[in-house]
Amino acid sequence: MIPTLNQRNPEIHIKSIFDPSFLQYGIVMNPIPYEPYFEYLDKHTTIPTTKNQYIAHDNELEAFLGGAIHLPKLPLNQTYQYGYVNGHNTKLNALEYHKSSEINVVLTPLVLFLGHTSKINHNTFHTTDLDVFFVPAKTVIEIFDTTLHFSPCKVEEGGFKCGVILPYGTNMQFETIEHKQTEEDYRYFKTNKWLLTHPENTPLVDLGAHIGIIGPNLEIKY
């Protein structure tokens, strides 16, 4: 699929997550312990007709997992939220990061735009500093806390399904830092969520997200 995607997106070089360049952003994990997560996404979630549906925490999913399995890379003393994002996104739109790793349980193939927080300069990030990766179906990856990321992009007409595991509370409440002392304070958008948006992403701009992405709002053609 990667050669076809690169042929249809000549301005974007799409690489495999097994390319060594991915190691600065995350690691590919053993998917076997996550089989119940894959099953739930497949049988108990749907892809919306348009746009994305993001569920930060699904109580039924947590109950389905039952705590009987220990998900690797997650400390036992941390409370986690087990959610997912399903949808039809094809554009970059924004970039976010957390002060924690994020685990993506990727049921369907998709593409991720990734960057590194070290490339943020005076609260701006240029799209030329992005790396773009294809993630195959039934893959589990850990995204580091220094990795800029946002919504997956679909590579099939039917859309995508992707599980998301984060420390509990992440993305759940809008928050701002009243007395801003650092540049990073201007990026704080939700609980455990620092964000830069593209100026074309009107919904986030209207919500007060910091406009900081320079360059085209890249789009994946599939």
Side-chain angles (χ1 to χ4, degrees), residues 5 29 31 45 81 87 109 136 155 187 190:
L5 287 170
M29 301 172 62
T45 73
Q81 59 192 46
V155 294
R187 304 173 212 152
K190 282 187 174 182

Side-chain angles (χ1 to χ4, degrees), residues 65-80:
L65 296 175
I69 59 170
H70 170 52
L71 303 181
K73 297 295 293 183
L74 302 182
L76 292 172
N77 60 350
Q78 172 71 57
T79 302
Y80 290 95

